[in-house]
Amino acid sequence: MAGRPRDERARATILRHAADVASKEGLAGLSIGRLATDLGVSKSGLFGYFGSKEELQLATVRAASAVYLDEVVQPAMAIAPGLHRLWRLCDAWLSYSRRRVFPGGCFFFTVAAEFDARPGPVRDAVAAASLDWARLMTRTIEDARQLGDLVETTDAEQLAFELIALLEMANATSLLHDDPVAYRRARTAIRARLRSAATVPLSTSDAEK
Amino acid sequence: MAGRPRDERARATILRHAADVASKEGLAGLSIGRLATDLGVSKSGLFGYFGSKEELQLATVRAASAVYLDEVVQPAMAIAPGLHRLWRLCDAWLSYSRRRVFPGGCFFFTVAAEFDARPGPVRDAVAAASLDWARLMTRTIEDARQLGDLVETTDAEQLAFELIALLEMANATSLLHDDPVAYRRARTAIRARLRSAATVPLSTSDAEK
DNA sequence: CCTACCGATCGGTAGG
DNA sequence: CCTACCGATCGGTAGG
């Protein structure tokens, strides 16, 4: 039931490929037969790992969350709370999108747009992941405010909304128009917005483009 | 070839329904058989209007563009250029999204996310529509700047990027989390951003929530 | 974990 | 603009 080590590795390979495909073509576009062909296994063999297409979709969302944690959240949480961490969180997101960690750009952007008007467990999982991310951003802002790096009147939820809007716009525009300038625009806007709320200077040493 | 009036009306009905479905489930999820069932006609009858699924998708994009023009662009272009028109353009977009003119929220948000990593004529049509919209926003900002309503140093493309980011975030968040507060957040951020660039006061009389 | 198959649905066509 | 059909592919299952 838990699976031997060999199974776990195979499962991880399948899910990583599934997340790559879904970032480009969506979770509904994931077909079990196509995945099996891509990976050189039989359809029923692959099916056996999950038991249903919906379980495959849910497992793919979980696998993508783990990648997101590694690529975006960890680099920021590795440094002390405050304005510097807040900027690092935004910068790590831009890097994750720009480097095409998933070939279709941010996995969650694609699948959130795909499922935002379709009820069901997959939508619920995607919405929960999106909420976790918004809460992490909000908490990071709130920490910076309580440390005195942001003005006391800062509305953390409002600022999180604005920063995430700019990140996602960079992802969407760079993909649709094949335009890397979008990342510079998002960076410019985010740094200006943080400066307007900050009580201390924004570092210029790290991750300058 | 051009079609009788009756055909034109039937075609428009089909395309309006197709745009509604695509706003929720995407243009790939549009199936000719399903549309035919929804509208009570035969599959081959419906197929005859378009000749291929791709033509149906392209015609649906054109039909959605016409709705967008009516609902978003026209209300703003009906008033004089300047800061007031710029705000009206943003407000009309928020209203169009919030009223669910398309049941799945902004049609172009859904299909841009769907096709941003898939080459082909449909992607090209969606990208062109998105570029038209960004250019209209940029020109509206540039007009306001040249009229002296915005500070001379205003970067119109940069500001357009930021405003569109906030509009789309409101659409996405309100759908995924069923949260109307997103519209208030976008409105707050847009008005603050416009105030920071304006040389004149932002009107408070119109469209206050 | 394979081959072989199920019914349903897809885009598209033939024939009238 | 209809019925009836085509081959391909879908999610899922039987049997080994």
Side-chain angles (χ1 to χ4, degrees):
Chain A
M1 177 126 286
R4 293 158 300 168
R6 179 116 198 286
D7 288 350
E8 287 304 312
R9 249 180 294 142
R11 207 183 128 98
T13 302
I14 294 166
L15 289 175
R16 186 57 232 241
H17 183 67
D20 281 356
V21 171
S23 76
K24 290 188 288 188
E25 298 170 32
L27 280 166
L30 263 189
S31 107
I32 294 168
R34 182 247 173 106
L35 274 186
T37 303
D38 287 355
L39 297 166
V41 297
S42 74
K43 209 178 77 167
S44 74
L46 193 146
F47 187 85
Y49 281 95
F50 307 102
S52 74
K53 177 165 180 178
E54 189 172 278
E55 259 314 313
L56 166 64
Q57 292 173 322
L58 292 169
T60 302
V61 172
R62 286 190 294 270
S65 289
V67 172
Y68 193 88
L69 277 173
D70 278 354
E71 297 282 344
V72 179
V73 177
Q74 278 241 17
M77 294 307 128
I79 68 177
L83 180 63
H84 186 51
R85 174 189 276 182
L86 176 56
W87 164 244
R88 190 90 169 77
L89 189 60
C90 294
D91 191 53
W93 200 98
L94 291 173
S95 171
Y96 147 83
S97 170
R98 190 178 42 211
R99 284 181 291 120
R100 302 288 187 253
V101 170
F102 296 108
C106 178
F107 171 91
F108 291 97
F109 182 82
T110 300
V111 303
E114 184 183 12
F115 280 89
D116 64 13
R118 305 190 214 188
V122 176
R123 175 219 167 93
D124 295 344
V126 171
S130 163
L131 204 58
D132 282 349
W133 165 240
R135 282 179 177 149
L136 178 75
M137 178 68 84
T138 302
R139 200 179 326 121
T140 304
I141 292 166
E142 186 58 23
D143 287 347
R145 189 187 73 82
Q146 289 189 3
L147 286 163
D149 287 359
L150 297 175
V151 294
E152 264 185 36
T153 54
T154 300
D155 180 337
E157 286 193 23
Q158 175 72 31
L159 182 52
F161 179 94
E162 296 177 24
L163 296 176
I164 292 171
L166 292 161
L167 298 174
E168 294 192 351
M169 180 71 178
N171 182 74
T173 303
S174 76
L175 285 161
L176 190 60
H177 302 302
D178 199 15
D179 178 11
V181 169
Y183 291 107
R184 187 168 51 72
R185 292 211 184 287
R187 182 193 161 85
T188 297
I190 288 169
R191 290 184 68 89
R193 185 68 184 81
L194 291 183
R195 254 183 240 110
S196 83
T199 60
V200 294
L202 247 185
S203 63
T204 54
S205 56
D206 60 302
E208 283 292 338
K209 169 91 177 271
Chain B
M1 177 123 282
R4 292 158 300 170
R6 179 113 199 288
D7 288 349
E8 288 303 313
R9 249 180 293 141
R11 207 183 129 98
T13 302
I14 294 165
L15 289 175
R16 187 55 234 240
H17 184 66
D20 281 355
V21 172
S23 76
K24 290 188 288 188
E25 298 171 32
L27 279 166
L30 263 188
S31 108
I32 294 168
R34 183 248 172 108
L35 275 185
T37 303
D38 287 355
L39 297 165
V41 298
S42 74
K43 207 178 77 166
S44 73
L46 193 145
F47 187 85
Y49 281 97
F50 307 102
S52 74
K53 178 166 179 179
E54 189 172 279
E55 260 313 312
L56 166 65
Q57 291 173 322
L58 292 169
T60 302
V61 172
R62 287 191 292 270
S65 289
V67 172
Y68 194 86
L69 277 173
D70 278 354
E71 296 282 345
V72 179
V73 178
Q74 278 241 17
M77 294 308 128
I79 68 177
L83 180 64
H84 186 51
R85 174 188 277 182
L86 176 56
W87 163 245
R88 190 89 169 77
L89 188 60
C90 295
D91 191 54
W93 199 97
L94 291 173
S95 170
Y96 147 82
S97 169
R98 189 178 44 213
R99 283 182 289 120
R100 301 287 188 253
V101 169
F102 297 108
C106 179
F107 171 90
F108 291 98
F109 182 81
T110 301
V111 302
E114 185 183 13
F115 280 88
D116 63 14
R118 303 190 214 188
V122 176
R123 176 220 167 93
D124 295 344
V126 171
S130 163
L131 205 57
D132 281 350
W133 165 239
R135 283 180 178 149
L136 178 75
M137 179 66 85
T138 302
R139 200 179 326 122
T140 304
I141 292 166
E142 186 58 23
D143 287 348
R145 190 187 73 83
Q146 289 189 3
L147 286 163
D149 287 359
L150 298 175
V151 295
E152 264 185 36
T153 55
T154 300
D155 180 337
E157 287 193 23
Q158 176 71 30
L159 182 53
F161 179 94
E162 297 177 24
L163 296 177
I164 292 171
L166 292 161
L167 298 175
E168 295 192 351
M169 180 72 178
N171 181 73
T173 303
S174 75
L175 285 160
L176 190 59
H177 302 301
D178 198 16
D179 178 11
V181 169
Y183 290 107
R184 187 167 51 71
R185 293 211 183 287
R187 182 193 161 84
T188 297
I190 288 169
R191 290 184 67 89
R193 186 67 184 81
L194 291 182
R195 255 185 238 108
S196 83
T199 60
V200 294
L202 248 184
S203 62
T204 54
S205 56
D206 59 304
E208 283 291 338
K209 170 99 178 263

